Amino acid sequence: MRREIPYRLRLEIPRLPPLQAAGTTGGHWAKRVREKVWWDSQIGWHVRAGGRPAVPLPMANVTMTRHSTMEPDADNLAASWKYPLDALVKAGVIESDKPSVIEFISRWAKAKRASQGVTIEVRSLAKVAEGEPKAEAAVLESVPGHGA
């Protein structure tokens, strides 16, 4: 029996994605295209240097943390992850950025201006048969005071 080795990737990128990336409020179309191309190339380069999975992950946990001086609104923070998520798909790390494929966690952390940027963490997940609890739920149940 062949045992699969879990895939893990951690990227630290010293640039912040625009907070209004997803909508039409992101400015001129050419500016949005330049931003998308920048994220595609940076994440693609980091993934090639750090090792990409043999095939795009069919199930993954993706955690993105924005390190910035000011805390954004939750909706703007969520919209800002469009280009980095699309770049992970284009780089062949994850199969898709749909909720059926990724468990997505969006975070913010206070940082000084000189150390602003993003941290992207990807971890492969085993496919779970329909109706079975996911690993995270099983962990919560084993913590005193949680679950039954």
Side-chain angles (χ1 to χ4, degrees), residues 12-95:
E12 293 185 16
I13 301 176
R15 179 171 170 164
L16 296 172
L19 289 170
Q20 305 272 330
T24 56
T25 60
H28 192 273
W29 66 268
K31 182 178 178 183
R32 289 193 308 270
V33 168
R34 276 193 304 274
E35 192 70 23
K36 179 183 178 356
V37 167
W38 189 90
W39 283 97
D40 286 349
S41 67
Q42 287 300 303
I43 288 181
W45 182 86
H46 279 84
V47 166
R48 285 188 298 279
R52 89 177 74 210
V55 295
L57 301 174
M59 294 287 293
N61 174 278
V62 178
T63 302
M64 294 193 180
T65 306
R66 180 184 186 93
H67 305 273
S68 62
T69 57
M70 306 240 340
E71 183 175 11
D73 293 343
D75 56 343
N76 289 335
L77 180 61
S80 75
W81 301 126
K82 173 151 182 61
Y83 298 140
L85 277 171
D86 288 349
L88 287 173
V89 174
K90 187 172 182 177
V93 175
I94 55 177
E95 204 171 80

Side-chain angles (χ1 to χ4, degrees), residues 10 18-19 26 51 56 58 100 104 110 123 125 148:
R10 181 181 169 95
L19 289 170
S100 59
F104 184 69
K110 182 91 170 153
R123 183 175 54 92
L125 295 175

